[in-house]
Amino acid sequence: MMKTHLDMENKALSHDDQSLEANLISSTSMGDEHNVMIMEDSFDPYSITGILTVCKRELLGPYMRFLSLVGLRPIIGEHSQWGCCVKWLNAMYSMQVVIFLLLGYCLQYMSCFRRDRGFGSMTSTHLHSKLHLKAMYEKSCTGSLSSSFIFPSLLHFTGYLYASVVFRTNDDNQLPVLIERVFLTSSHLPNMQLHQRQIVKTLWTFVVGSFVWMLATIGLVSYMMVEGDVTMKWFEDGPFQVQLTLKILLVVCLIWHDIVQASVISNYCLQAQLLRSYVQFIREKLLQQSIRPLQWIRDIEEFRKLLTYLNQEVAPSVCIFTLINGTYAISGTLWLLAAHYELSNDIVPIYTGVNIANVVLWWFIAAAPFVQAARLTIACNNMKTVGQEVITRPFTHMNTPFQDLNSILIYTASLKIKAKLFNLPISGKYVGISFALLSVLFLVLSQSNILEIAFQS
């Protein structure tokens, strides 16, 4: 009975929604960046269509081209008339990216470059001169081959392959669809243009932040390369030109490594931010307008579908990269604390400041997905209380039957929508507790002699 009533209600509402959405945009495959949005003929810069056009031209289009540049999407749309040639070019470009990644893993081992501490590592020998300290710091290479190089490289490459498969599937139109839905939902609220401009500004903040992180890592790696006496394994006595070529290739490959994972993580953060805005607008739409309950429930189900895609398709590759980044952050922090005990007060490693900045960057990119997931979960939890707020606003919903209001209350109270990482719901309080425990752990280790004993053993 309820299902029949819901079907009749949806049929009655479908005509109005279809006519409105037909005038705005239609989602297409992400394989062709020029068909991401099909706009109406009339263009008004102050309308929803106009703002969406600006968003596509200034944000979505360049961002999709950037994803193509790093090999996560086809470099050329495969829907053109030159189908075979285009597919061949896309395959060759993807192979080039794979070669850069694999070559980077090998060169990291050859140069003894670890992402958590740079070139070489400190040894347990007590050093009494800055010159001797610098030489030992640069030339020594300790640590397990599997845990320091093989496993991180395998995880990184697995994350790239998984993300490439997700981004290249024909159904991967999540980002354009999210932008459409968010803008469409915000059009029903007061200060529509203010909300939409704020959305574009927030999205640009995440994009610019990812570029700043990439530039910072490139600068740190370049500084370590220039200042350090780097020696390539198996080529110690080789010509200078060969050594220089291998060093340049190492920097280029490391840049590709960082760009790939920054792109995947920034994409997750963008989608989480859009979903957060989407669910907030749905909530405000119910509170500020008299809306048919079944239509509002349908909006929630659409949000649930997009959230499920984020948790099940986008999140796994992010989890793989986050696992690596978290390992680098924790390992680098412990190494800095251990180096503090090993050195005397008047001797400071030449790279101490650079290594601290390096560890801070790894902490930043490792925490970013958790922070965004926690913010999205908070917005989802706020939906559970919207039913009670609706009942306490009789003037807004004075024409809505009490039975429908009661249905909204029951439906929202039973909602189970949360952002997930590692297939676990992410909540703000758990993220805060985790970081607090890590901080306490590092303080305890730095105040005790545990690290000193481990470092000297």
Side-chain angles (χ1 to χ4, degrees):
M1 184 84 175
M2 182 64 181
K3 183 178 180 181
T4 304
H5 181 61
L6 177 60
D7 294 338
M8 295 177 61
E9 188 77 17
N10 289 337
K11 290 180 180 179
L13 296 171
S14 61
H15 177 72
D16 295 335
D17 290 343
Q18 289 175 1
S19 61
L20 178 58
E21 294 182 16
N23 291 329
L24 296 177
I25 41 180
S26 4
S27 301
T28 59
S29 174
M30 292 180 67
D32 187 356
E33 64 184 20
H34 299 290
N35 293 326
V36 173
M37 297 180 184
I38 301 176
M39 314 303 300
E40 62 178 356
D41 295 334
S42 59
F43 177 79
D44 180 7
Y46 298 101
S47 64
I48 305 175
T49 303
I51 298 177
L52 273 172
T53 303
V54 175
C55 183
K56 172 187 178 292
R57 183 176 65 247
E58 297 183 358
L59 176 63
L60 187 59
Y63 187 72
M64 293 301 176
R65 287 191 289 271
F66 174 73
L67 294 179
S68 300
L69 181 64
V70 299
L72 294 175
R73 296 181 63 245
I75 192 68
I76 304 175
E78 297 183 353
H79 298 283
S80 63
Q81 57 181 347
W82 308 98
C84 295
C85 295
V86 168
K87 289 182 179 179
W88 183 81
L89 289 174
N90 287 330
M92 293 298 295
Y93 187 83
S94 299
M95 184 61 64
Q96 173 188 332
V97 175
V98 170
I99 291 174
F100 271 117
L101 294 178
L102 295 177
L103 182 60
Y105 303 143
C106 296
L107 291 175
Q108 280 183 251
Y109 170 70
M110 291 172 58
S111 62
C112 193
F113 180 77
R114 293 179 53 170
R115 301 311 306 268
D116 57 340
R117 62 187 67 175
F119 294 97
S121 59
M122 296 298 297
T123 63
S124 60
T125 304
H126 290 280
L127 305 174
H128 302 287
S129 68
K130 294 184 179 181
L131 181 62
H132 191 196
L133 169 66
K134 180 178 178 181
M136 292 299 294
Y137 179 79
E138 294 167 350
K139 306 251 185 202
S140 60
C141 183
T142 60
S144 171
L145 173 62
S146 58
S147 61
S148 300
F149 298 100
I150 296 179
F151 288 154
S153 299
L154 286 176
L155 287 174
H156 189 278
F157 191 64
T158 303
Y160 168 75
L161 292 180
Y162 187 94
S164 298
V165 171
V166 172
F167 277 89
R168 289 173 180 269
T169 55
N170 292 328
D171 295 330
D172 182 35
N173 56 353
Q174 173 92 336
L175 194 58
V177 167
L178 268 175
I179 293 178
E180 295 173 13
R181 293 295 180 182
V182 170
F183 275 70
L184 181 62
T185 307
S186 64
S187 65
H188 299 282
L189 301 177
N191 300 323
M192 173 194 71
Q193 296 178 4
L194 180 62
H195 286 301
Q196 293 169 352
R197 292 195 183 99
Q198 184 64 35
I199 293 171
V200 176
K201 182 179 178 181
T202 304
L203 296 181
W204 264 117
T205 301
F206 286 102
V207 173
V208 172
S210 64
F211 276 97
V212 170
W213 184 88
M214 288 185 287
L215 292 175
T217 56
I218 292 170
L220 290 177
V221 172
S222 301
Y223 178 84
M224 292 178 182
M225 180 69 70
V226 172
E227 294 295 328
D229 184 14
V230 183
T231 302
M232 291 290 178
K233 189 178 179 64
W234 306 312
F235 291 92
E236 296 89 346
D237 301 325
F240 173 77
Q241 291 80 2
V242 175
Q243 291 273 351
L244 181 61
T245 302
L246 292 177
K247 292 177 183 180
I248 294 175
L249 279 176
L250 174 61
V251 175
V252 172
C253 294
L254 291 177
I255 291 173
W256 276 105
H257 289 183
D258 293 341
I259 288 177
V260 164
Q261 68 166 322
S263 303
V264 174
I265 294 176
S266 66
N267 177 72
Y268 177 86
C269 293
L270 285 174
Q271 294 193 28
Q273 180 63 35
L274 285 169
L275 284 172
R276 180 174 178 268
S277 300
Y278 187 22
V279 73
Q280 287 177 339
F281 291 156
I282 293 176
R283 186 176 185 275
E284 293 299 321
K285 183 179 176 181
L286 179 64
L287 292 176
Q288 299 181 13
Q289 296 181 8
S290 179
I291 184 175
R292 298 177 182 179
L294 294 181
Q295 179 185 0
W296 185 79
I297 291 175
R298 187 175 59 182
D299 292 339
I300 290 295
E301 291 301 320
E302 179 66 23
F303 167 79
R304 189 198 297 269
K305 188 195 314 182
L306 296 172
L307 179 62
T308 301
Y309 181 88
L310 180 72
N311 291 334
Q312 296 182 359
E313 301 294 335
V314 181
S317 58
V318 176
C319 292
I320 295 175
F321 287 124
T322 302
L323 182 64
I324 303 172
N325 299 334
T327 302
Y328 290 156
I330 296 175
S331 175
T333 303
L334 293 177
W335 178 74
L336 288 175
L337 293 175
H340 168 74
Y341 281 104
E342 175 62 21
L343 301 174
S344 59
N345 295 329
D346 58 338
I347 299 179
V348 180
I350 189 172
Y351 294 143
T352 297
V354 176
N355 277 315
I356 291 176
N358 183 51
V359 171
V360 170
L361 288 176
W362 287 122
W363 276 113
F364 178 80
I365 197 171
F370 288 98
V371 173
Q372 279 299 97
R375 296 176 73 232
L376 176 56
T377 299
I378 292 174
C380 293
N381 290 336
N382 290 336
M383 291 295 298
K384 293 185 177 181
T385 62
V386 72
Q388 299 175 355
E389 295 185 43
V390 165
I391 293 179
T392 59
R393 296 192 179 190
F395 297 103
T396 304
H397 301 276
M398 59 186 307
N399 296 325
T400 305
F402 181 77
Q403 222 173 13
D404 292 342
L405 296 179
N406 193 37
S407 299
I408 293 177
L409 176 61
I410 297 175
Y411 176 79
T412 54
S414 61
L415 278 177
K416 295 181 179 179
I417 46 177
K418 291 184 178 181
K420 294 182 179 181
L421 288 173
F422 299 97
N423 204 27
L424 297 174
I426 304 299
S427 178
K429 59 181 180 180
Y430 296 127
V431 173
I433 291 174
S434 300
F435 280 104
L437 291 177
L438 284 175
S439 301
V440 171
L441 175 63
F442 290 140
L443 287 174
V444 170
L445 291 176
S446 63
Q447 294 171 3
S448 62
N449 61 348
I450 298 177
L451 287 175
E452 184 179 7
I453 296 174
F455 194 60
Q456 294 177 352
S457 61

